[in-house]
Amino acid sequence: MVDGSPNVTTTNAGIPVGSDEHSLTVGRDGPVVLHDAYLIEKMAHFNRERVPERVVHAKGSGAYGTFRVTNDVSEFTCADLFQPGRETRMLARFSTVAGEMGSPDTWRDPRGFALKFYTRQGNYDMVGNNTPVFFIRDPQKFQDFIRSQKRHPQTGLRNNTMQWDFWSLSPESAHQVTWLMGDRGVPKDWRHMDGFSSHTYQWINAEGERVWVKYRFVTDQGNDFLTQEEADRLAGQDADRHRRDLFEAIERGEYPSWTLQVQIMPLEDAATYRFNPFDLTKVWPFGDYPPIEVGRMTLNENPSNHFIHIEQAAFEPSNLVPGIGPSPDKMLLGRLFSYPDTHRYRIGVNYNELPPNRPESPVRSYSKDGRMRFFEPDTAAVYHPNSYGGPDAARQEGEEQASWRVEAAELVREAYSRHDEDDDFVQPRALIRDVMDEAARERLVSNVSGHVSEVTDDDVLGRALKYWRDIDPEIGERVAAKLNGG
């Protein structure tokens, strides 16, 4: 009996809910369904929590540039922007995740890495981070995660206890937290950090053959970072350090660039791969799927007006051009709804008519009216079907859609099916032992111990220490010793 219990989550209408952990899906591994009313309520409410800045990634800046293909990957995708020799105009925006508009650029936080390509077949957006993984794997938990990283509702202050309370109760966060507490948790500037799609996507070639793909933009400037002490000092001396650096470098003609590499997984590998390839908390080892060069992104044009071109820029992973599609990644499927919905709220239903969002290819849409409508439709016909020459969405011969096979199943709220090596701690442990050198491990211990030292709840502190012992027993003991003055 749950009626009246103060500990049972309810909808905003007071109705008990089935899960705060898992979205409603077609079987364990099928797509998220639109009639999961509680998930939609959480997303829609969350998207409207802040006015007018972005709910997340509020502080950032960016620039225009070009993407030029340097290698032939047409055997994997027919996407226009990835065809041999193609050069495509684009916009990039970099940001911090948790801070507000006025927060320092040098807080320890993941960095957003959002790209918009103005292709011949419409806008293609890749909305990623400077890390290849994320804290959670189900969109049902996203709103709760972000709130745990924001400000305490009573004090209005950032609160490490809230952060560690969530992380220590969500072991899937271990891989991302290890990245966050390591050197790349505070990049020297945006020019010296990599960017990742993080999510798995689907590529389709001209013959309709499909593969799974992950993106990695490798900085041509080389990776560099700030120590915690340097970051803290700069937060007070130059809170806009990263914004200033990018703008001034481009003004000097020192155009930053990144080389795009992709990892390709055959479609049939996914079902039997040793861990779930669509789990956002996991990476694909290069030994299994080596990187393939695609092209180079170069930023060479500062925006003429920051508000028009950066604050009004709307990036959304649902902008997928022919030849590119989504995957069964539950977080990605949730974001396909969440991003355009928050843009409609934040900058208006006609946000795609604003300069940074307007496609350079023709727009033939049946959308009409709404606030701030500017462009007239190409035809007086504003409905389909019609007799007056309006566009027709009928599929072209040979066109293939992104899709994947889902076995017939009941609607359930459950975690992904486990693969043989699915484990929340294996990959962060490998990151510590196989990628970091001893100096980096010592900085990791210092960063973690400094962060958890501000936790004020003994139970949360105990769980945080256990969390690190589960990741790596030696690192966990070194963190505990440093906290105890060792």
Side-chain angles (χ1 to χ4, degrees):
M1 190 74 174
V2 297
D3 292 354
S5 171
N7 294 319
V8 174
T9 307
T10 73
T11 68
N12 291 339
I15 303 166
V17 302
S19 175
D20 268 305
E21 298 278 332
H22 306 300
S23 302
L24 192 64
T25 58
V26 181
R28 294 174 67 93
D29 303 317
V32 176
V33 296
L34 185 62
H35 67 265
D36 185 353
Y38 180 52
L39 171 63
I40 299 303
E41 177 185 275
K42 288 180 74 173
M43 283 185 171
H45 186 96
F46 178 75
N47 291 342
R48 292 160 173 79
E49 280 187 358
R50 299 290 187 274
V51 179
E53 68 180 34
R54 290 169 172 85
V55 181
V56 289
H57 297 277
K59 175 70 181 297
S61 193
Y64 287 96
T66 59
F67 177 78
R68 183 173 61 86
V69 174
T70 56
N71 188 30
D72 187 352
V73 291
S74 59
E75 65 177 296
F76 302 116
T77 179
C78 61
D80 173 75
L81 78 158
F82 295 135
Q83 298 313 294
R86 184 77 78 240
E87 187 167 299
T88 303
R89 186 170 179 266
M90 59 165 299
L91 171 65
R93 183 179 185 270
F94 310 114
S95 56
T96 47
V97 172
E100 305 85 8
M101 285 278 285
S103 60
D105 287 345
T106 58
W107 272 355
R108 184 170 296 276
D109 202 7
R111 266 59 181 178
F113 198 99
L115 310 176
K116 184 181 293 290
F117 301 90
Y118 303 99
T119 87
R120 302 181 185 185
Q121 295 179 304
N123 290 350
Y124 172 53
D125 292 357
M126 193 207 82
V127 187
N129 284 326
N130 71 325
T131 58
V133 293
F134 197 60
F135 298 89
I136 53 175
R137 59 173 71 99
D138 193 299
Q140 192 72 264
K141 299 184 72 171
F142 181 73
Q143 295 72 217
D144 303 297
F145 160 66
I146 292 296
R147 289 175 186 138
S148 75
Q149 311 301 297
K150 291 284 190 176
R151 295 182 179 272
H152 193 280
Q154 180 180 19
T155 65
L157 301 173
R158 295 289 295 278
N159 187 287
N160 290 13
T161 301
M162 288 201 309
Q163 295 184 18
W164 285 104
D165 188 33
F166 182 91
W167 290 339
S168 63
L169 291 171
S170 304
E172 70 267 30
S173 65
H175 197 182
Q176 173 71 307
V177 172
T178 303
W179 276 82
L180 177 63
M181 292 295 162
D183 290 341
R184 299 196 188 191
V186 189
K188 177 183 177 182
D189 49 59
W190 295 325
R191 295 182 296 128
H192 289 86
M193 70 180 189
D194 294 341
F196 301 85
S197 67
S198 304
H199 296 294
T200 299
Y201 289 87
Q202 188 174 153
W203 271 6
I204 308 98
N205 69 12
E207 287 70 45
E209 298 165 333
R210 306 183 190 99
V211 294
W212 305 116
V213 61
K214 281 184 179 287
Y215 300 68
R216 176 178 182 239
F217 287 81
V218 181
T219 173
D220 295 327
Q221 291 68 236
N223 272 285
D224 205 351
F225 64 94
L226 300 172
T227 65
Q228 189 64 60
E229 292 74 20
E230 290 171 328
D232 291 342
R233 174 174 55 80
L234 286 169
Q237 290 182 349
D238 187 0
D240 299 320
R241 160 67 179 263
H242 292 172
R243 178 181 289 183
R244 186 188 317 282
D245 174 83
L246 178 66
F247 186 91
E248 293 181 350
I250 293 174
E251 287 293 287
R252 292 193 304 269
E254 296 178 14
Y255 303 139
S257 64
W258 289 259
T259 297
L260 171 60
Q261 300 174 346
V262 295
Q263 291 176 276
I264 299 293
M265 175 185 287
L267 203 71
E268 61 275 9
D269 282 16
T272 57
Y273 190 54
R274 52 201 174 99
F275 53 82
N276 186 345
F278 310 116
D279 181 346
L280 188 55
T281 70
K282 301 288 196 300
V283 297
W284 300 351
F286 287 169
D288 293 346
Y289 301 102
I292 300 171
E293 181 175 320
V294 179
R296 179 161 291 106
M297 167 181 110
T298 303
L299 301 182
N300 54 19
E301 179 188 345
N302 279 318
S304 57
N305 181 284
H306 180 86
F307 177 79
I308 291 174
H309 295 279
I310 302 301
E311 287 310 307
Q312 293 191 128
F315 301 88
E316 52 197 85
S318 52
N319 279 348
L320 299 167
V321 295
I324 305 173
S327 78
D329 179 340
K330 295 181 183 181
M331 280 293 293
L332 173 59
L333 296 176
R335 294 177 82 197
L336 298 185
F337 162 79
S338 183
Y339 277 63
D341 183 58
T342 197
H343 299 325
R344 294 181 192 105
Y345 162 69
R346 191 177 71 86
I347 48 180
V349 69
N350 288 306
Y351 64 91
N352 274 318
E353 295 190 357
L354 296 169
N357 308 321
R358 180 75 177 172
E360 295 185 356
S361 59
V363 176
R364 303 182 187 94
S365 168
Y366 285 105
S367 296
K368 66 184 290 285
D369 299 349
R371 294 179 181 174
M372 305 300 290
R373 181 74 173 180
F374 180 75
F375 289 100
E376 296 180 10
D378 292 340
T379 173
V382 292
Y383 54 88
H384 185 278
N386 66 79
S387 305
Y388 306 104
D392 190 349
R395 290 180 58 188
Q396 302 299 309
E397 183 178 353
E399 180 186 356
E400 293 291 337
Q401 302 296 313
S403 62
W404 60 89
R405 181 177 178 80
V406 178
E407 299 294 335
E410 295 181 0
L411 298 179
V412 297
R413 294 187 185 273
E414 296 184 12
Y416 285 118
S417 299
R418 288 186 66 84
H419 291 220
D420 290 343
E421 297 184 23
D422 273 334
D423 183 284
D424 290 326
F425 301 112
V426 167
Q427 291 201 351
R429 188 178 303 129
L431 178 61
I432 292 171
R433 296 181 180 181
D434 301 338
V435 178
M436 297 181 183
D437 59 21
E438 179 53 33
R441 285 191 284 270
E442 181 55 37
R443 289 190 293 271
L444 173 69
V445 169
S446 177
N447 294 336
V448 172
S449 59
H451 201 276
V452 299
S453 68
E454 298 182 21
V455 172
T456 57
D457 184 306
D458 289 341
D459 289 340
V460 174
L461 179 59
R463 288 202 310 270
L465 293 175
K466 180 181 182 301
Y467 180 92
W468 282 100
R469 291 187 178 106
D470 287 341
I471 294 173
D472 186 285
E474 179 187 349
I475 293 295
E477 292 304 321
R478 288 167 64 175
V479 170
K482 203 167 187 69
L483 281 175
N484 293 326

